[in-house]
DNA sequence: CAAACCACTTGCAAAATGCAAGTAGCCCTG
DNA sequence: CAGGGCTACTTGCATTTTGCAAGTGGTTTG
């Protein structure tokens, strides 16, 4: 998983080697949809990621410039993780996954309002999410990105 | 990886448990973009999937009704795998991955024309691919899906 | 100053993967 | 109709990745 051990020249394959695994994509989901920014917050997700796996994924995402980290302004022992522009570009992928799931996995116990709205009103949801992101940025990082 | 050991109720998490790993997504890529339909064809992809892993992934995709298999019309020892409607619904996800890769991984040795066109002319490429799929279906399976 | 918190690290068992070598059924050729 | 090759697997085993529990070192809180 270094920078260029790419198994093939295929774009999709290279994309998958960066974020084509469940834990990585769940971290990205948390960043977009659940406004999470700290180690402990990702840990608290219901899927129960292990600490060593989370550490590894955050490192890989940083290496690939999909996320970036800063120290918590009020607390030196905490860190804040946030999406770069490259990372924000992943939104359509997550959105399409959610749409597909909404359509084809109808038996999920409680279809979350968020994902449901993502299908019925994608542009609105997208705007809300990016609005939330830029608000967070203006409050938490100085030179935005 | 049975049918309902879902780690959470989240739509995206459930989606990822079905096809959120590299090998599964590469098989789906081959079905959409490279018109592959046989075991040996998937094996021949440059990424080099192992036979046992390929068997496993084809089974899982079948279980989830994303692909279906039929016997080769001319040869009883061969099988043909093809996308169901549910599987065809994955196209936007792959397309978004390809678009993101085209934009953010500019250093790939040779950007394939296919993926490049997917970004500049998505609707056209989509139409061509679905055209190719339905032509294949009309030639190879009787009651289409 | 002790307890709690935070982002990790470590050790070890369990699971997934990679690889090489089968195997059973079908097909083709001589 | 015997032999070889093809096809979709299966098996066994070494290596890698993951999951889980228990640290660790620095920081903040009461």
């Amino acid at each position: 998983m270094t920078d260029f051990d790419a198994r093939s020249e295929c774009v999709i394959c290279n994309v998958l080697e960066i974020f084509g695994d469940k834990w990585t994509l769940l971290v990205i989901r948390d960043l977009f949809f659940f406004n999470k920014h700290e180690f402990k917050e990702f840990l608290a997700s219901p899927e129960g990621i292990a600490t060593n796996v989370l550490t590894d994924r955050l490192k890989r995402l940083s290496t690939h410039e999909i996320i970036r980290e800063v120290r918590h302004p009020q607390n030196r022992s905490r860190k804040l993780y946030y999406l770069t522009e490259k990372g924000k570009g992943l939104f359509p992928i997550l959105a399409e996954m959610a749409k597909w799931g909404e359509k084809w996995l109808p038996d999920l116990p409680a279809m979350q309002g968020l994902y449901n709205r993502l299908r019925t009103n994608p542009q609105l949801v997208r705007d809300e999410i990016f609005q939330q992101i830029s608000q967070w940025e203006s409050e938490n990082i100085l030179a935005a990105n």
Side-chain angles (χ1 to χ4, degrees), chain A:
Chain A
M1 300 291 165
T2 63
D3 222 325
F4 234 77
D5 61 350
R7 285 187 90 107
S8 84
E9 295 188 355
C10 169
V11 176
I12 287 184
C13 182
N14 279 271
V15 163
L16 293 176
E17 301 213 340
I18 296 174
F19 59 80
D21 77 280
K22 201 181 61 154
W23 292 125
T24 303
L25 283 161
L26 286 176
V27 169
I28 297 169
R29 171 205 63 177
D30 283 347
L31 285 161
F32 273 119
F33 299 116
F34 299 114
N35 201 29
K36 297 191 175 186
H37 296 276
E38 295 191 45
F39 195 88
K40 62 174 173 173
E41 292 176 321
F42 299 119
L43 266 192
S45 291
E47 293 82 13
I49 189 170
T51 56
N52 52 352
V53 175
L54 179 55
T55 300
D56 176 73
R57 295 307 189 277
L58 290 171
K59 266 185 203 141
R60 279 168 52 183
L61 288 171
S62 286
T63 298
H64 289 287
E65 296 275 353
I66 286 171
I67 63 172
R68 202 165 287 150
E69 54 177 78
V70 285
R71 272 211 293 262
H72 191 291
Q74 268 83 53
N75 186 323
R76 212 176 313 202
S77 74
R78 285 155 76 185
K79 287 181 182 177
L80 297 172
Y81 303 91
Y82 63 97
L83 292 158
T84 60
E85 286 307 307
K86 189 175 176 185
K88 290 179 203 170
L90 297 173
F91 184 80
I93 300 173
L94 278 279
E96 289 299 337
M97 286 185 178
K99 281 199 231 172
W100 187 89
E102 272 294 317
K103 178 165 187 182
W104 293 102
L105 306 178
D107 296 336
L108 285 187
M111 285 289 101
Q112 292 91 335
L114 173 67
Y115 297 133
N116 196 15
R117 285 202 304 130
L118 200 48
R119 190 152 81 99
T120 57
N121 221 331
Q123 191 57 44
L124 180 64
V125 174
R126 203 202 108 95
D127 289 347
E128 285 174 13
I129 286 175
F130 277 85
Q131 168 59 34
Q132 189 175 42
I133 287 174
S134 66
Q135 192 188 329
W136 182 92
E137 285 175 355
S138 69
E139 293 167 358
N140 291 277
I141 54 185
L142 309 174
N145 189 253

